[in-house]
Amino acid sequence: MTDTSPLELGAWIGRAQAFAILAVKSSGAQAEALRHIRDTEAYPLVGLSWNEFCPKYTGLTRTRVDEIIQNLNEFGQAYFRLSEI
């Protein structure tokens, strides 16, 4: 786990939630925020596992969040830009 403060985690959660509200136009940015939270292992700061964190703070299942991150890792931002069309 990196040195992520609870405040920084809150900012990343807020970004992910805001991007979710804006939906398709910012799905790539949402994916980036979700990947950051997962990869830095910041989610335990709120006392939850990744499986618990996803539905509570993103409104998505862990499986769906992992799929979104996988698409970002595999196809990059281009995938999300193309999905906007």
Side-chain angles (χ1 to χ4, degrees):
M1 183 168 142
T2 62
D3 295 331
T4 302
S5 71
L7 182 60
E8 184 178 0
L9 173 60
W12 280 103
I13 291 169
R15 287 182 189 116
Q17 290 171 338
F19 295 136
I21 290 168
L22 296 173
V24 176
K25 291 292 184 191
S26 60
S27 58
Q30 178 190 22
E32 292 275 359
L34 293 171
R35 181 172 65 181
H36 178 84
I37 293 168
R38 188 192 67 183
D39 290 355
T40 60
E41 297 182 9
Y43 51 88
L45 289 171
V46 292
L48 299 174
S49 68
W50 183 239
N51 200 42
E52 298 164 325
F53 177 87
C54 290
K56 182 166 184 170
Y57 286 98
T58 71
L60 303 168
T61 65
R62 180 202 54 83
T63 302
R64 182 63 189 129
V65 171
D66 288 342
E67 288 171 356
I68 291 168
I69 295 168
Q70 179 58 35
N71 286 335
L72 176 64
N73 290 339
E74 189 170 341
F75 306 113
Q77 286 291 334
Y79 170 84
F80 296 98
R81 285 191 299 273
L82 286 172
S83 69
E84 294 174 8
I85 298 173

